[in-house]
Amino acid sequence: MRRLNRKKTLNLMKELDAFPKVPESYVETSASGGTVSLIAFTTIAFLTIMEFMVYRDTWMKYEYEVDKDFTSKLRINIDITVAMRCQYVGADVLDLAETMVASADGLIYEPVPFELTPQQKELQRMLQLIQSRLQEEHSLQDVIFKSAFKSASTALPPREDNSLQSPDACRIHGHLYVNKVAGNFHITVGKAIPHPRGHAHLAALVSHESYNFSHRIDHLSFGELIPGIINPLDGTEKIASDHNQMFQYFITVVPTKLHTYKISAETHQFSVTERERVINHAAGSHGVSGIFMKYDISSLMVTVTEEHMPFWQFLVRLCGIIGGIFSTTGILHGFGRFVAEIIFCRFRLGSYRSASVPLPDGHTSNHLPLITDNSTH
């Protein structure tokens, strides 16, 4: 009984075989089939390599949600060089809550020459080139996110000692912590002093002829400082055409959580719009000479996550490639043989067409003559 059950089971399994085996003596090979097989195997190998490269690559996924964190402080990282002496300029922040952040909390005033060294100029040109490419190809931002903490620092290299250049500019660098509300970071003439109704700058002792707000923004970012991240204003340089000139930057800050296979950090992206004009009260252009960065915090938060193709999806795509190529090449090869057989059959029929045979009554016959045993001898 057990043997009968085993035989029935084996017979049932044989009937369910979806891959019938053909004896080798019944298999006919051809040169065309070998050529098509070679092309198919080459295509499979090429597409498999390309699919493996896609499997190894990663992409950035963007998700948006409402930012519910409104009690924490926002860090502003600053590195700006102004073409005026340090005793003539002052920097501070004033937000919508009328809270002034004193410059002594985290900013350093360092006398430096405004002219860059050749090595610093080379890095600045590289930053400006990257900024122009980022404006044209936004997908490069994903590459920058994935290379954070791995790429070289975007900070300018230290200046080489040169006694011939006197410090005619002021480098203002450091960081500040402000409230997460809209505010205005500005650099203008005179040191900032607290005032019960706001704030003021001691600009009375500085002559208008010494005003020069030509500046270079080596770095400006919000949130955690991440090496390798290039911000929209990094490498910006503006040259003032007049003593009384105002430079304005309108910035929209977007809180961003960055999660890659290398880092996990909370930073901030921002977009910026620039404007500059000459202060001329007689012509109706009012204002204060200086550099003004008016920022606003977006209510949306972006979560940027680096994702990778799952291994099971890679196997499914790979099986689809192999099976699809085998099926497609088999169909094309069969169709090609069918067309070739039709053409060759017509050619053979044309070659066996007989010449006209004269009949006794003077007519001709175009029919093929009968082949008899005597005619074969």
Side-chain angles (χ1 to χ4, degrees), residues 123 126-132 134 140-141 143-145 147-149 151-155 218-221 226-236 267-270:
L123 180 58
M126 183 189 69
L127 285 175
Q128 291 175 351
L129 178 61
I130 294 175
Q131 296 288 8
S132 61
L134 283 173
L140 291 178
Q141 186 65 46
V143 180
I144 294 176
F145 280 150
S147 62
F149 278 138
S151 59
S153 175
T154 57
D218 297 325
H219 180 79
L220 179 70
S221 64
I226 302 178
I229 296 295
I230 299 177
N231 298 279
L233 287 176
D234 292 354
T236 300
T267 181
H268 291 72
Q269 302 179 82
F270 66 90

Side-chain angles (χ1 to χ4, degrees), residues 63-68 253-256 297-302:
E63 296 178 339
Y64 302 90
E65 59 180 317
V66 177
D67 184 17
K68 300 178 181 179
V253 183
V254 181
T256 304
I297 312 298
S298 175
S299 59
L300 291 179
M301 180 175 61
V302 181

Side-chain angles (χ1 to χ4, degrees), residues 6 21 45 62 69 75 85 122 148 161 178 214 222 224 233 247 269 275 305 311 342 344 360 374:
R6 290 179 180 177
K21 309 299 185 293
Y62 292 82
D69 182 14
R75 172 170 169 161
R85 297 186 180 275
E122 185 66 25
D161 292 334
V178 298
S214 300
F222 297 84
E224 183 179 349
L233 287 176
F247 296 91
Q269 302 179 82
R275 183 189 178 192
T305 308
F311 183 71
I342 293 178
F344 287 147
N374 296 330

Side-chain angles (χ1 to χ4, degrees), residues 304-318:
V304 184
T305 308
E306 185 177 7
E307 292 192 345
H308 187 272
M309 180 188 297
F311 183 71
W312 65 266
Q313 188 175 354
F314 168 71
L315 291 180
V316 171
R317 290 165 63 99
L318 192 61

Side-chain angles (χ1 to χ4, degrees), residues 80-92 103-104 107-112 168-173 185-193 200-203 205-207 210-215 243 289-291:
I80 302 176
T81 302
V82 185
M84 292 180 65
R85 297 186 180 275
C86 291
Q87 60 265 29
Y88 296 155
V89 294
D92 66 328
S103 60
L107 294 182
I108 301 173
Y109 293 77
E110 179 184 352
V112 294
D168 57 349
C170 183
R171 179 191 175 197
I172 305 174
H173 60 98
F185 170 76
H186 52 270
I187 302 173
T188 185
V189 179
K191 299 298 180 181
I193 57 174
H201 289 262
L202 293 175
L205 302 179
V206 183
S207 62
S210 61
Y211 287 13
N212 185 4
F213 284 100
S214 300
H215 62 280
H243 293 292
S289 302
I291 305 167

